[in-house]
Amino acid sequence: ADQIIFWSRLPLVLLTVLFGWLFFVWTKGRFGSMTALLALTFFTFSPTILAHSRYVTTDLGAAIGFFIGIASFIMFLEMPTWRRTMIFGMALGAAQLLKFSLVLLAPILGVVFLIWIASHSARTWREWVEYVFALSGKITLAAVVALVCVWIVYTPFVWSYPMERQYSDAEFILGSYGFRPAVDVNLALIKHPITRPLAQYLLGVLMVQQRAAGGNTAYFLGEVSAAGSPAYFPILYLFKEPLSLHIFTVLVLGFCAVLIKRWWAGQNQNRTSAARHPCKIFARRYIIELSAIVFILVYWGISIRSNLNIGVRHIMPTLPFIYLLAARGVTSWIRGDFQPNPSTWAEWFQTIRAIYIKAIPKYIISIGLVFWFVASSLSNYPHFLAYYNELAGGAREGYRIAVDSNYDWGQDMIRLKKFVERNHIPNIAIAYFGGGDPAYYLGDKFEPWWSSRGAPSGWFAISATLRQGAFGLPAPGFVQKPEDTYEWLRAYTPVDRVGQSMFVYRLP
């Protein structure tokens, strides 16, 4: 089983390395080596990226999908050639095949498109309309290319799938789906042989939406609820990302506010024809940053409203863009305001002073924060999943805020096996939250346990997710069964912790 897990995880690890390389190369081409290296450092040492890039899940795939989708769309907008149209279409199709939640690319790219065409300068309304129609036509073609990519990949899955069975399965699975017209569209697609592959893809999209709407019982800040909390993702982002990143963010926001104020004042003072539409100039110049901000706001807005609060991993696709914005802002803050193309000795001296002398304190602060970022992450090796920053008390105390995939996914089972062997424990009762099989690792030493059985005699281990889920107070409207509360366990203190996620007791 361990070999199967290892070889299953290896492609995800390699995919993360590929993603990091693409992220660096694209950022370097846009903003230079310094920004790219800093963004890559955030990416490489992010506890969330390190944790979930070695699990066989779709979260890393979603992050890659959003990145290639948005990056290729920006490249297309800047130069809408037929070649870039096809590249954008294939990237969009690949993104849809990585995770069903990538359908969110449509509204996100729609907002970016509106910003871009609003910033387009044309001599007449007719030229502007012609430009918009030409661009829209190529985007439509790219969407068709994306659908063809999805159709090609899903076709083998319906070759030996009888149409009647596919229809009845879809009707049964989507029986409780709230928006009936979407179900009817899916069923109509199944009836035609050509569109059956697209129906199978659409079924997955609707199932994900159905799952997200249903919510999940979860522990958060001392409460247990099946309804989502609007504070869930902001709080988890605050505590699950290194504190130094938040300090960088505050510095960047302050610097950007000053920069925008100066830029706007300069535009108002400059009455030349080039400054008649400052917002258009700003949108064109900073389309990458604006696209990143749009994506983060839309994705976070949808996530905050979701009832599915089971892990900060669900906002992981936004992290590379957050790192990009942070790195972009930090490098601009360090360089400050100086003449980019000096032509006189005075301007040369001013440039050298700004880059190499005046910026020394900023370099010291930035290097110190980067080292703190890296050290904070690596000090939790190999427990990256359980990482919480200093504000939360570190990984040791993070379980008090939220568990599940934020802290405990059953990753310490092998460590528990070694603990049992090291302490020569003949028998141990275990309440385990995870995908592993305790009996595979512990054999006849393992005894499955749950709350309603009462207190076992001797050694007892319980996963942090089950423990906090039982100890947490029921949120208003949530009904918790008394037999599931582990009330009898409150009287005892753990004698040890295995890894971070397993609490071990020695009961009389």
Side-chain angles (χ1 to χ4, degrees):
D2 293 336
Q3 291 185 31
I4 293 173
I5 292 172
F6 174 83
W7 290 108
S8 299
R9 288 177 172 180
L10 187 59
L12 270 297
V13 174
L14 296 176
L15 192 62
T16 307
V17 174
L18 174 63
F19 185 18
W21 177 76
L22 288 173
F23 183 53
F24 173 80
V25 170
W26 187 78
T27 306
K28 181 182 178 182
R30 294 292 179 154
F31 304 115
S33 299
M34 185 175 174
T35 300
L37 186 59
L38 183 56
L40 182 63
T41 300
F42 291 147
F43 177 91
T44 303
F45 294 99
S46 165
T48 303
I49 299 291
L50 285 171
H52 293 283
S53 62
R54 55 178 179 171
Y55 291 141
V56 188
T57 64
T58 54
D59 300 297
L60 194 278
I64 296 176
F66 279 109
F67 177 77
I68 63 174
I70 294 173
S72 63
F73 186 59
I74 293 172
M75 293 172 61
F76 161 77
L77 290 177
E78 293 174 334
M79 191 181 296
T81 62
W82 290 111
R83 179 175 177 270
R84 291 198 176 188
T85 301
M86 297 302 293
I87 291 174
F88 167 55
M90 289 186 288
L92 185 62
Q96 302 309 309
L97 292 167
L98 287 168
K99 191 171 184 176
F100 291 120
S101 61
L102 268 296
V103 294
L104 291 176
L105 267 176
I108 292 166
L109 298 184
V111 175
V112 174
F113 175 68
L114 292 177
I115 294 174
W116 182 262
I117 61 173
S119 67
H120 179 68
S121 297
R123 287 176 296 180
T124 64
W125 273 100
R126 181 177 179 179
E127 289 182 351
W128 185 85
V129 171
E130 289 177 350
Y131 173 78
V132 172
F133 268 93
L135 209 58
S136 300
K138 290 185 177 181
I139 291 175
T140 302
L141 175 61
V144 172
V145 172
L147 282 177
V148 171
C149 292
V150 172
W151 182 87
I152 291 172
V153 172
Y154 270 80
T155 294
F157 293 97
V158 297
W159 275 342
S160 302
Y161 194 4
M163 183 183 297
E164 296 77 11
R165 180 62 184 272
Q166 184 183 3
Y167 189 95
S168 62
D169 287 347
E171 196 170 31
F172 174 76
I173 292 170
L174 300 176
S176 60
Y177 190 80
F179 188 60
R180 186 64 196 183
V183 178
D184 293 336
V185 169
N186 183 255
L187 297 177
L189 291 173
I190 295 175
K191 293 180 180 179
H192 299 279
I194 299 298
T195 56
R196 286 181 62 204
L198 296 179
Q200 192 67 7
Y201 163 77
L202 181 59
L203 174 65
V205 174
L206 299 179
M207 287 174 65
V208 167
Q209 294 176 357
Q210 190 177 36
R211 171 74 175 90
N216 198 85
T217 301
Y219 168 88
F220 177 57
L221 293 178
E223 282 191 347
V224 180
S225 174
S229 169
Y232 184 85
F233 288 108
I235 292 293
L236 264 296
Y237 175 74
L238 175 65
F239 290 129
K240 290 285 289 180
E241 283 296 299
L243 190 55
S244 58
L245 178 67
H246 301 320
I247 297 176
F248 268 134
T249 302
V250 173
L251 288 174
V252 169
L253 289 176
F255 172 72
C256 289
V258 173
L259 205 62
I260 291 173
K261 184 179 179 180
R262 290 179 181 175
W263 180 82
W264 184 260
Q267 292 294 327
N268 289 334
Q269 292 176 2
N270 184 5
R271 300 302 180 181
T272 63
S273 59
R276 291 176 182 175
H277 304 287
C279 290
K280 290 185 177 182
I281 299 171
F282 184 88
R284 285 272 168 159
R285 182 178 299 174
Y286 298 104
I287 186 61
I288 295 175
E289 293 89 338
L290 289 174
S291 299
I293 292 171
V294 166
F295 170 55
I296 292 167
L297 291 177
V298 172
Y299 196 91
W300 272 67
I302 294 172
S303 300
I304 286 172
R305 296 185 61 185
S306 172
N307 291 329
L308 196 61
N309 290 173
I310 57 176
V312 74
R313 63 190 175 90
H314 285 169
I315 60 168
M316 190 168 70
T318 64
L319 293 184
F321 291 92
I322 292 174
Y323 300 151
L324 171 63
L325 291 175
R328 175 84 168 104
V330 169
T331 52
S332 298
W333 172 67
I334 291 174
R335 290 166 179 166
D337 297 327
F338 60 88
Q339 185 70 25
N341 297 305
S343 57
T344 65
W345 283 106
E347 290 178 352
W348 272 104
F349 180 76
Q350 183 181 357
T351 301
I352 293 172
R353 179 176 175 271
I355 298 176
Y356 298 106
I357 300 175
K358 189 177 179 180
I360 289 177
K362 297 179 182 180
Y363 275 108
I364 294 173
I365 292 172
S366 299
I367 291 172
L369 288 174
V370 169
F371 270 104
W372 184 10
F373 185 100
V374 174
S376 176
S377 177
L378 293 185
S379 64
N380 283 267
Y381 173 85
H383 306 290
F384 296 117
L385 186 72
Y387 176 88
Y388 277 88
N389 64 29
E390 294 83 354
L391 290 176
R396 200 68 180 171
E397 300 296 325
Y399 70 92
R400 301 180 187 275
I401 296 173
V403 281
D404 207 293
S405 61
N406 299 300
Y407 197 85
D408 167 33
W409 249 1
Q411 71 272 17
D412 289 320
M413 175 51 64
I414 295 179
R415 295 185 181 93
L416 180 63
K417 172 192 175 183
K418 294 178 180 178
F419 175 86
V420 169
E421 293 173 347
R422 187 168 59 250
N423 290 276
H424 307 288
I425 298 174
N427 182 270
I428 183 169
I430 301 175
Y432 176 63
F433 179 83
D437 181 5
Y440 175 83
Y441 294 101
L442 297 170
D444 56 8
K445 295 180 180 180
F446 159 68
E447 184 177 2
W449 209 264
W450 51 94
S451 177
S452 60
R453 295 188 66 181
S457 178
W459 291 94
F460 174 64
I462 182 171
S463 295
T465 299
L466 298 178
R467 183 177 182 272
Q468 295 308 106
F471 285 6
L473 298 175
F478 180 77
V479 179
Q480 191 175 41
K481 297 179 181 179
E483 61 269 23
D484 295 336
T485 61
Y486 283 93
E487 191 66 33
W488 49 268
L489 190 58
R490 295 176 184 270
Y492 303 99
T493 302
V495 297
D496 210 336
R497 289 265 291 275
V498 174
Q500 298 289 358
S501 68
M502 297 292 292
F503 290 81
V504 181
Y505 294 81
R506 186 74 182 270
L507 305 179

